[in-house]
Amino acid sequence: MKRVIAKRTIKEFWEKNPDAKEYLETWYETVKGANWSSPNEIKEFYATVSILKNSRVVFNIKGNSYRLVAKINYQKQWLFIRFIGTHKDYDTIDSNNI
């Protein structure tokens, strides 16, 4: 992805959840270097992702301790972080529309 918007969101999350820092940094670097053109390409790389409606993808972070919802524009190679939280937090959102 040419742009990951916004790194500040994940940084603020790991400041509150230090156990997630290493995993989110690795995720960020991996995604930043990716050149995915479809949800299937993401699924090939991250077997545990969930592909949702409205260009949303759910990534499992730290062995599924946390979930990260991103909206992806494949044509422009932009990934927008829409949510990061625990499973309990995730259960309270509409991940297809967040």
Side-chain angles (χ1 to χ4, degrees), residues 37-84:
S37 60
S38 71
N40 289 337
E41 288 184 8
I42 298 172
K43 192 79 168 161
E44 288 175 15
F45 193 84
Y46 284 110
T48 61
V49 298
S50 298
I51 308 299
L52 307 177
K53 297 187 287 186
N54 299 325
S55 302
R56 300 315 197 264
V57 178
V58 181
F59 294 89
N60 298 312
I61 306 295
K62 192 187 173 224
N64 215 13
S65 294
Y66 302 106
R67 290 201 166 168
L68 184 150
V69 178
K71 180 176 182 179
I72 300 177
N73 182 317
Y74 297 97
Q75 185 176 9
K76 293 183 180 181
Q77 288 292 294
W78 291 356
L79 182 144
F80 300 87
I81 297 169
R82 307 297 295 156
F83 168 85
I84 306 174

